């Protein structure tokens, strides 16, 4: 079974702090994704990566950056945390496939609160 | 970019009743995926539909892809308390786009 591990289940940070959310997958997947989930809005894609050192902006990249130095690890960075970034953050991975339409495997999520 | 509309947003049913959630797109889809998220959990992949008019079953769950490949449905027959959660559809353009989800609550 695919295992996607997010470093923290719950995190509380202060406005203006630089915040790192870590995600590691153990299935040698090329593709990794960061989403945020808010009530009534579903899952919104922040950034994704199809290869090491490669990154692409998703639908809501503002205020975030990412790092993919190793294939198994994809980090989400909040450069200067703000209260509107309080949310559930979900990491996912998938293997490459035709049209990149492979199922995504999710971590348990990090519930981040910015005070 | 591509978008998908999912309805209803919320449904509360009596145990044993049926449940259906729908996803609609204005454009023709190459495929559609369905995920389930239990309360406090993470989304889990259920199934992918690819062919026009495709119908797939998983026990009490029936998934359907429209003939025009612009809509899809998930139907649960005789709901049980284990069915509670949020059901998402997701479509691929150059990336996966999720619907807003349908929250299912089951009264026992």
């Amino acid at each position: 079974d695919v295992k996607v591990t997010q470093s923290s289940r719950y995190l509380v940070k202060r406005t203006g702090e630089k915040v790192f959310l870590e995600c590691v997958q153990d299935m040698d997947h090329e593709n990794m994704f960061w989403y945020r989930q808010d009530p009534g809005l579903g899952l919104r894609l922040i950034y994704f990566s199809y290869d090491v050192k490669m990154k692409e902006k998703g639908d809501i990249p503002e205020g975030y950056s990412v790092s993919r130095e190793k294939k198994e690890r994809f980090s989400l960075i909040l450069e200067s945390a703000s209260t509107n970034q309080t949310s559930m953050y979900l990491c996912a991975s998938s293997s490459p496939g035709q049209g990149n339409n492979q199922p995504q495997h999710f971590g348990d999520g990090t519930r981040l609160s910015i005070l | 970019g591509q978008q998908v509309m999912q309805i209803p947003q919320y449904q509360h049913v009596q145990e044993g009743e049926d449940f259906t959630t729908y996803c609609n797109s204005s454009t023709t889809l190459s495929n559609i995926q369905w995920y389930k998220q239990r309360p406090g959990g993470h989304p889990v992949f259920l199934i992918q539909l690819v062919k026009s008019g495709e119908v797939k079953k998983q026990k009490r769950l029936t998934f359907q892809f429209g003939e025009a490949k612009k809509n899809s449905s998930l139907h649960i027959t005789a709901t049980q308390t284990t069915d509670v959660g949020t059901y998402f559809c997701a479509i691929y353009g150059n990336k996966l786009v999720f619907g807003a989800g349908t929250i299912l609550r089951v009264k026992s």
Side-chain angles (χ1 to χ4, degrees):
Chain A
D1 260 2
V2 177
K3 184 72 174 172
V4 179
T5 303
Q6 294 185 231
S7 52
S8 304
R9 195 81 167 97
Y10 300 94
L11 206 54
V12 180
K13 295 291 183 180
R14 296 212 172 271
T15 304
E17 279 193 70
K18 191 168 186 176
V19 181
F20 294 85
L21 302 184
E22 306 287 348
C23 176
V24 177
Q25 49 92 6
D26 67 357
M27 282 302 292
D28 203 35
H29 282 168
E30 277 76 6
N31 306 332
M32 296 189 75
F33 308 85
W34 274 106
Y35 295 89
R36 63 177 283 176
Q37 184 174 22
D38 301 288
L41 297 178
L43 282 76
R44 292 181 292 166
L45 183 63
I46 305 171
Y47 268 97
F48 60 102
S49 170
Y50 288 152
D51 202 353
V52 176
K53 296 196 185 293
M54 176 268 181
K55 61 184 178 184
E56 291 278 352
K57 292 180 180 179
D59 298 315
I60 52 164
E62 296 77 20
Y64 303 94
S65 63
V66 290
S67 173
R68 187 130 183 238
E69 295 296 318
K70 292 185 177 181
K71 190 176 186 179
E72 67 271 18
R73 186 180 297 270
F74 193 34
S75 303
L76 179 69
I77 304 152
L78 284 67
E79 297 292 343
S80 177
S82 64
T83 54
N84 62 12
Q85 292 178 310
T86 291
S87 187
M88 170 68 87
Y89 290 87
L90 288 160
C91 175
S93 73
S94 70
S95 57
Q98 193 172 11
N100 283 316
N101 59 358
Q102 295 301 302
Q104 294 193 3
H105 303 268
F106 287 84
D108 287 335
T110 296
R111 188 164 292 282
L112 175 64
S113 297
I114 307 296
L115 306 179
Chain B
Q2 265 191 312
Q3 288 188 328
V4 60
M5 187 73 72
Q6 188 171 358
I7 56 170
Q9 186 176 356
Y10 180 84
Q11 189 146 15
H12 201 169
V13 301
Q14 191 73 38
E15 189 174 20
E17 290 182 342
D18 292 355
F19 160 78
T20 306
T21 174
Y22 301 89
C23 280
N24 297 294
S25 170
S26 57
T27 59
T28 302
L29 305 171
S30 58
N31 59 70
I32 191 163
Q33 297 180 355
W34 286 92
Y35 291 77
K36 176 184 178 181
Q37 184 176 24
R38 295 181 186 275
H42 58 267
V44 174
F45 173 78
L46 294 176
I47 209 160
Q48 178 166 272
L49 304 174
V50 179
K51 298 177 185 174
S52 167
E54 189 170 16
V55 178
K56 286 189 176 179
K57 294 193 174 187
Q58 290 179 352
K59 297 182 181 178
R60 294 177 294 103
L61 277 61
T62 302
F63 304 84
Q64 204 157 2
F65 205 6
E67 293 288 342
K69 297 182 74 174
K70 289 185 175 182
N71 57 74
S72 181
S73 64
L74 158 58
H75 180 83
I76 302 178
T77 304
T79 54
Q80 299 175 0
T81 54
T82 53
D83 294 324
V84 298
T86 303
Y87 293 85
F88 295 97
C89 62
I91 62 173
Y92 262 105
N94 62 335
K95 57 185 184 296
L96 198 60
V97 174
F98 283 82
T102 296
I103 299 171
L104 172 63
R105 293 288 177 256
V106 179
K107 287 184 289 188
S108 58

